[in-house]
Amino acid sequence: MRREMEEMIRAQQAQICAAVADLDGSAFTVDDWQRDADGEHGGGGTTCVLQEGKIFEKAGVGVSVVTGTLSPEAAAAMGGGQGLDNARQSNRAFFAAGLSLVLHPHHPMAPTVHANYRYFERGPAEKPVAWWFGGGADLTPSYLFEQDARHFHGLHRATCDAHDPAFYPRFKQWCDRYFYLPHRGERRGIGGIFFDDLHDRPPAELLAFVRDCAATLVPAYLPLVRRRQQLPFSAAQKAWQQLRRGRYVEFNLVYDRGTLFGLKTAGRVESILMSLPLTARWEYQAAILPGSPEAELLEAVRNPRDWA
């Protein structure tokens, strides 16, 4: 499963980068990296980044395949949901393989998108004591277009339904709960799907599900960028996009489990923080006019809707 997961995420990385580069007309910088194999941390990955492109201000698509030893605190918090007893909990060796991407367009009418699909094991490779899959994809617009929301959610629902009709309702609600900023009373965006600790059926079936989810990203997202990038916009609308990006930064640095896991396990900081936009804005007591498009977006992130 370790090998099959790595093959899948590298194939998806290549396909997504090719599609994004074709739309943008710019090339990704490809950064192959290795962790210091010091007996505690090993492995590496490939981080592909496109910055200051024609369409994307920043686009990052990364693969990491790493091993290491969890701290006692991290081990206690990350049991894989499988009820590890004390003897197995004391085994702090881990393996993690994941694909992570964030695409930030220049245009304020085009949404940001994030996706991450990952596989974890606890214990030795020859006999792990626990394993599970996690991941999802979510859409973060600055301006709400119902057509876009229904397209993005609809394709992800179709992918989920092909594997289990119970998946989408469960994972959509999970996404709405997860990408929440309690200090703002807002979701980061308008959601999508999210799941973690998934180990309730044979791993080959779950790998197939994760593969299909990853393959859904390009058709679910890139048409939205093509559709919106031709629209006119004002300086005020660009400033609003920067404010919404500030919310994105707040979530990723304060609450995101992937960011925190990477930083607590001697992860590669450049690759972990590639998800952040090049630019963002925090404005003191920004005024929002009732009934405005900005207020409509706030209503959607404060009160999640069913889009599919």
Side-chain angles (χ1 to χ4, degrees):
M1 185 51 61
R2 292 186 178 195
R3 176 183 55 80
E4 291 183 15
M5 182 66 179
E6 180 175 0
E7 290 175 353
M8 186 276 284
I9 58 180
R10 290 194 179 278
Q12 289 296 329
Q13 180 186 41
Q15 293 172 20
I16 293 167
C17 285
V20 172
D22 181 65
L23 176 61
D24 193 275
S26 305
F28 279 84
T29 297
V30 179
D31 183 16
D32 293 313
W33 52 272
Q34 295 291 322
R35 298 222 291 177
D36 294 331
D38 57 4
E40 292 293 321
H41 307 290
T46 301
T47 301
C48 300
V49 177
L50 187 161
Q51 295 185 140
E52 297 289 11
K54 298 179 179 68
I55 293 173
F56 293 100
E57 179 183 285
K58 187 178 183 186
V61 187
V63 158
S64 63
V65 182
V66 298
T67 59
T69 303
L70 297 166
S71 68
E73 296 78 14
M78 191 183 73
Q82 298 178 55
L84 297 183
D85 56 32
N86 290 336
R88 292 191 297 162
Q89 187 68 267
S90 65
N91 192 324
R92 295 187 284 115
F94 78 88
F95 167 88
L99 167 72
S100 182
L101 68 89
V102 181
L103 309 178
H104 295 288
H106 288 290
H107 202 298
M109 300 300 171
T112 285
V113 73
H114 158 264
N116 176 280
Y117 294 102
R118 55 195 179 272
Y119 172 69
F120 284 96
E121 286 183 1
R122 289 279 300 273
E126 61 275 10
K127 191 176 181 181
V129 299
W131 60 268
W132 65 98
F133 289 88
D138 65 290
L139 196 67
T140 305
S142 299
Y143 288 91
L144 182 65
F145 295 92
E146 290 199 14
Q147 179 185 11
D148 295 356
R150 295 189 184 283
H151 175 85
F152 186 84
H153 277 265
L155 263 62
H156 281 90
R157 176 160 204 157
T159 297
C160 289
D161 287 352
H163 290 266
D164 187 331
F167 275 172
Y168 176 78
R170 175 185 171 197
F171 298 158
K172 192 271 185 187
Q173 291 182 7
W174 200 338
C175 188
D176 290 336
R177 291 194 305 269
Y178 178 74
F179 291 105
Y180 180 67
L181 293 92
H183 63 281
R184 298 285 191 183
E186 301 171 8
R187 278 81 193 159
R188 188 175 73 179
I190 59 169
I193 60 171
F194 180 83
F195 54 90
D196 204 0
D197 298 343
L198 203 61
H199 60 274
D200 62 346
R201 58 199 72 195
E205 291 184 19
L206 294 176
L207 176 63
F209 170 62
V210 168
R211 178 188 294 112
D212 289 348
C213 287
T216 300
L217 190 281
V218 167
Y221 174 69
L222 290 191
L224 312 185
V225 179
R226 293 189 185 97
R227 186 181 297 155
R228 302 304 165 196
Q229 67 179 356
Q230 304 299 329
L231 296 177
F233 65 90
S234 66
Q237 289 169 326
K238 183 65 179 178
W240 172 249
Q241 179 197 45
Q242 298 294 92
L243 288 174
R244 295 311 304 172
R245 284 183 177 174
R247 303 291 203 270
Y248 203 95
V249 172
E250 289 173 24
F251 180 86
N252 280 31
L253 294 184
V254 178
Y255 301 110
D256 185 71
R257 291 175 62 180
T259 300
L260 299 178
F261 174 81
L263 295 177
K264 289 179 179 179
T265 55
R268 187 171 186 264
V269 174
E270 286 292 322
S271 297
I272 295 167
L273 299 184
M274 77 169 185
S275 64
L276 302 181
L278 285 183
T279 59
R281 177 184 178 96
W282 286 264
E283 181 180 323
Y284 186 71
Q285 293 185 334
I288 307 299
L289 295 177
S292 66
E294 292 79 12
E296 182 184 18
L297 186 281
L298 285 179
E299 171 63 23
V301 298
R302 289 171 178 168
N303 299 289
R305 305 181 196 175
D306 292 329
W307 298 108

